[in-house]
Amino acid sequence: MSRVNSPTPAQPDCQVTREIFAHGLIAILRAPTTAHFPAVVDTLLGAGIHAIEITLTTRGALQCIRDLNAAYGSEAVIGAGTVLTVDEARACADAGADFVVSPVGAPEVVRAARATGMATYPGALTPTEIHTAGSTGAPAVKLFPASAVSPRYVSDLHGPLPDIRVIPTGGISLADIPGWIAAGAAAVGLGTPLIGAAATEGVDKDLAARSRQAVNAVREARAAR
């Protein structure tokens, strides 16, 4: 007999989640408009970052997801961030998003995303919130804002919650990456510390170098574990 409060079965493993976990990085693009996003994504891919999150707070985000999938769908996973409602999740699916990320644990968004076949990563911070988000069947939980805690928090969570994979996001610098990966994070989400002003002002000469630094930081931290 199953328990009355048994959690929803975990979302089946999918290629999108495997890709994100394999590389350990999600680049988050947020700006007033998407004007510079194609050039930014081209630079990120060239440096080895293959998971791209376009936040819905950016004007034109859904059309940008369509365009990026048409241009880079065979070499990248393109998702949507700041997805807060069922309607937004469905619109992301219609735009061809591979995954959706939320800053909060909205179970109805997880259900809507799962129904369309998208991977979905709800947000949470406290152990109770993380357990609740993991119980929706999502393959990973966005730990947000990661700047409110430390990598030790992830390793402590793994004791009582060993089956929930977490993706720390929010306020993570490039120098912080090794600590989070060493603590057991499945991947990390990086916004401004990685992208800099490129999303709003255009690709700068250091974006590729920052991207390679992030890729190497994940690789080296995993090798040292």
Side-chain angles (χ1 to χ4, degrees), residues 7-13 110-111 114 120 122 131-141:
T8 302
Q11 182 173 343
D13 190 21
V110 175
R111 288 193 295 269
R114 291 185 65 178
T120 175
H131 177 264
T132 300
S135 296
T136 63
V141 175

Side-chain angles (χ1 to χ4, degrees), residues 106-218:
E108 67 277 10
V109 171
V110 175
R111 288 193 295 269
R114 291 185 65 178
T116 67
M118 291 185 295
T120 175
Y121 312 115
L125 179 61
T126 70
T128 298
E129 291 170 350
I130 291 167
H131 177 264
T132 300
S135 296
T136 63
V141 175
K142 171 183 177 177
L143 176 62
F144 179 81
S147 59
V149 292
S150 71
R152 173 66 184 270
Y153 189 71
V154 171
S155 58
D156 287 346
L157 285 171
H158 280 169
L161 303 173
D163 297 325
I164 299 179
R165 308 299 299 274
V166 297
I167 303 174
T169 306
I172 296 177
S173 71
L174 299 185
D176 294 333
I177 293 174
W180 290 105
I181 296 298
V188 295
L190 297 171
T192 300
L194 171 66
I195 306 301
T200 56
E201 299 176 10
V203 174
D204 62 80
K205 61 183 179 62
D206 295 323
L207 177 59
R210 291 194 300 271
S211 300
R212 288 191 295 269
Q213 181 182 345
V215 169
N216 290 335
V218 171

Side-chain angles (χ1 to χ4, degrees), residues 61-81:
L62 293 174
Q63 185 58 51
C64 183
I65 290 171
R66 291 187 185 94
D67 294 342
L68 291 174
N69 263 312
Y72 302 108
S74 63
E75 55 183 310
V77 290
I78 308 295

